[in-house]
Amino acid sequence: MEYLWIFSAIAAAFFQSLRLGALKQLNQTLSVTATSYVRVLFTLPFLTVYVIALCLTTGEALPMPNVRFLFCAGVAALGQFVGTVVLVRLFQLGNFA
């Protein structure tokens, strides 16, 4: 378990490359906003499975969200979406680097 971070980093890089490649392909047939929505909707089931697995393995229940949490989560979600829109738009311009 000492070197688990190495395999996690390699897996993260692999899946990030896979996701970016899929976004680039999808961007050729859909608009920038639609491509970004697809990314968000595709990620939601994986996030749900992750949270359920985390709760089951730790035995902890989900905490009750408060106003501050919902505000921070909303700001983070909006930032993630805007970042994805910018990334997909750069794919269209052909100037990703």
Side-chain angles (χ1 to χ4, degrees), residues 6-92:
I6 296 172
F7 299 112
S8 298
I10 292 171
F14 173 75
F15 286 117
Q16 180 77 349
S17 298
L18 200 65
R19 180 180 70 89
L20 290 177
L23 281 176
K24 187 172 182 178
Q25 290 292 88
L26 193 59
N27 188 32
Q28 294 175 0
T29 57
L30 295 175
S31 70
V32 172
T33 308
T35 302
S36 300
Y37 279 131
V38 167
R39 180 206 179 260
V40 171
L41 293 177
F42 182 76
T43 306
L44 189 59
F46 291 105
L47 177 63
T48 304
V49 168
Y50 172 73
V51 169
I52 290 170
L54 193 61
C55 288
L56 290 175
T57 56
T58 62
E60 296 288 327
L62 285 176
M64 292 299 296
N66 57 26
V67 175
R68 182 173 182 224
F69 169 79
L70 293 175
F71 175 76
C72 290
V75 169
L78 185 63
Q80 183 73 30
F81 184 76
V82 169
T84 302
V85 168
V86 170
L87 175 71
V88 172
R89 181 67 179 132
L90 288 174
F91 283 148
Q92 278 186 340

